[in-house]
Amino acid sequence: MTTHSPVMPIWSCGGCDLPWPCPTRKRELRAEYADAPVSLALYLGSYLVQATEDMPWTPAGALHRRFLGWTREGARPTPAAQQRSTATVPAEPSREARQQPG
């Protein structure tokens, strides 16, 4: 069990006193939910709902970034200029196929 659990209703980390989820807990959660990103989002979404009730003065966008925004950081696609194409170029028709009437 992690020591980096949320301290409610102030939503600080019980292990390091940083805003929860702290960097350590984020690493732990990424490892725990490595093969289940949707489950991670649902788990953190439930905490987001609780946090909005506990901290109604906090802007919704800030809470969303804090609880959910970081989960997709590693999933960002590579810019198009850096991606390798996986498309295949069709073979050119043979000379016989080009000469046959269609």
Side-chain angles (χ1 to χ4, degrees):
M1 187 73 180
T2 184
T3 59
H4 293 271
S5 299
V7 175
M8 298 178 230
I10 59 173
W11 291 90
S12 65
C13 177
C16 61
D17 207 34
L18 292 172
W20 194 91
C22 67
T24 299
R25 188 61 182 139
K26 288 177 184 179
R27 279 192 305 276
E28 292 172 350
L29 288 167
R30 277 189 195 207
E32 185 177 341
Y33 288 91
D35 296 327
V38 174
S39 295
L40 174 59
L42 290 170
Y43 173 75
L44 290 169
S46 68
Y47 277 125
L48 172 63
V49 170
Q50 291 177 37
T52 58
E53 292 172 359
D54 290 340
M55 301 182 293
W57 60 87
T58 308
L63 288 176
H64 181 272
R65 282 187 300 278
R66 179 173 163 181
F67 285 85
L68 292 170
W70 63 270
T71 61
R72 299 194 39 95
E73 287 175 359
R76 289 190 181 143
T78 307
Q82 297 176 357
Q83 287 183 352
R84 285 189 188 175
S85 174
T86 57
T88 57
V89 178
E92 205 169 305
S94 67
R95 184 179 283 181
E96 295 84 27
R98 282 185 276 164
Q99 291 176 351
Q100 292 178 354

